[in-house]
Amino acid sequence: SGWISRLYLSSLKYQGKSFHGADRIHSLVCLGSPHFVANNLVYKNLEYLESKCGKDLPPNVRCLCVGSKGNVMSEASDMTRGAYEFCGATPGDEAVDGDGMTPLFSAIAFEAADKLVLENVSHAPVYPSFGPSAELAKERLTKP
């Protein structure tokens, strides 16, 4: 995850240990990692990191956040809808776009990073087809 990498790069103590990863790493590439501080327990760690270290990188480290669009919530499976909402998307916002797991706005939310947006690149090659969206998933997988 992107926030774990950012924590590793910092000198911030986390669970009693500082990693100082910026002494060994000069570049970070985040592929579809969520960086938006959503309102759930997992993102409290990101909120803690940004409250202590700000939204910057160590001066010797550069970062590229890669996100994708092409999986719009209005056409998404229940799993994708749940993942987008977990990452901070407003429930019912059918216009949210992303890679099927991470909404684009969250993948590129790290202000200090350079950004790259890809078209129609998925977080995973296929998604499970279970639950109420099984027929939708089957239709999407069989389209030419």
Side-chain angles (χ1 to χ4, degrees):
S1 179
W3 72 265
I4 295 171
S5 299
R6 289 168 54 193
L7 182 65
Y8 175 77
L9 291 170
S10 77
S11 58
L12 179 66
K13 278 196 171 191
Y14 185 79
Q15 302 276 326
K17 183 172 182 169
S18 295
F19 297 97
H20 302 278
D23 295 342
R24 296 177 285 288
I25 294 171
H26 63 77
S27 299
L28 170 65
V29 178
C30 299
L31 303 173
S33 299
H35 291 277
F36 179 78
V37 179
N39 189 21
N40 61 54
L41 185 58
V42 172
Y43 292 100
K44 295 299 177 192
N45 292 302
L46 179 54
E47 187 175 57
Y48 170 74
L49 172 67
E50 289 186 350
S51 74
K52 300 293 184 187
C53 296
K55 296 181 180 186
D56 295 322
L57 285 164
N60 63 311
V61 177
R62 61 188 184 157
C63 180
L64 173 65
C65 287
V66 181
S68 177
K69 57 185 178 176
N71 287 290
V72 184
M73 181 123 65
S74 63
E75 301 172 9
S77 69
D78 297 336
M79 186 176 87
T80 294
R81 287 175 176 274
Y84 284 3
E85 290 174 12
F86 183 78
C87 290
T90 303
D93 183 351
E94 300 293 308
V96 174
D97 203 347
D99 64 10
M101 209 38 61
T102 306
L104 178 61
F105 74 84
S106 185
I108 60 172
F110 184 28
E111 295 171 16
D114 292 323
K115 283 98 174 148
L116 175 63
V117 177
L118 303 173
E119 298 280 340
N120 298 315
V121 175
S122 185
H123 201 91
V126 292
Y127 296 99
S129 56
F130 56 87
S133 62
E135 288 305 311
L136 174 63
K138 188 187 306 180
E139 287 175 25
R140 291 185 84 199
L141 292 173
T142 57
K143 284 183 181 176

